[in-house]
Amino acid sequence: MPNQQPSLDLMFQALADPARRSMVERLSRGPASVSELARPLDMSLPAVMQHLAMLEAGGIVASEKVGRVRTCQIQPDVLSLAEQWINQRRTQWEQRLDRLGAFLAAEDEDTQ
């Protein structure tokens, strides 16, 4: 089943933490260094690195070290997998609600 893919599981795990979502939000505006990502967060640099490792394990973020600076950037293709999964669930529920609405409308007509 597509929703059982480990990459999707890791991605949702990575997005479960507010600090990591904050990093993803910042990276959605463009690449950033680890120190830039750490600046607004109330945590140590090693803690930020652990969060980034989780984002990388989920495939959401990629990083590259040039000299002493590690720069991170978002991987939009991976986020589109989550979007597809969510959209499939939404479509299923919309169809179910449409059928329920039609059923209730038919029941209402029958009682009048």
Side-chain angles (χ1 to χ4, degrees):
M1 290 168 77
N3 62 337
Q4 299 300 317
Q5 295 175 359
S7 60
L8 194 58
D9 292 345
L10 287 173
M11 183 181 46
F12 281 123
Q13 283 178 327
L15 292 172
D17 184 273
R20 292 191 289 266
R21 288 193 306 273
S22 172
M23 291 178 196
V24 170
E25 184 69 31
R26 167 54 190 89
L27 291 172
S28 68
R29 296 190 307 267
S33 68
V34 172
S35 59
E36 287 177 82
L37 293 172
R39 196 170 296 127
L41 301 172
D42 186 26
M43 62 180 69
S44 67
L45 198 56
V48 170
M49 292 297 294
Q50 286 180 332
H51 283 292
L52 283 170
M54 184 72 172
L55 289 169
E56 286 191 74
I60 299 167
V61 170
S63 69
E64 179 182 29
K65 188 170 184 177
V66 177
R68 294 176 41 134
V69 177
R70 178 169 296 281
T71 302
C72 303
Q73 64 183 15
I74 202 160
Q75 300 295 297
D77 292 345
V78 174
L79 289 177
S80 69
L81 292 174
E83 181 183 19
Q84 289 171 15
W85 186 86
I86 290 167
N87 284 337
Q88 289 170 350
R89 306 295 79 69
R90 180 178 36 235
T91 299
Q92 289 173 348
W93 277 104
E94 286 172 350
Q95 290 170 348
R96 289 174 183 163
L97 290 172
D98 287 345
R99 287 193 305 266
L100 176 61
F103 173 79
L104 292 174
E107 287 289 308
D108 191 38
E109 287 178 11
D110 289 343
T111 59
Q112 291 182 356

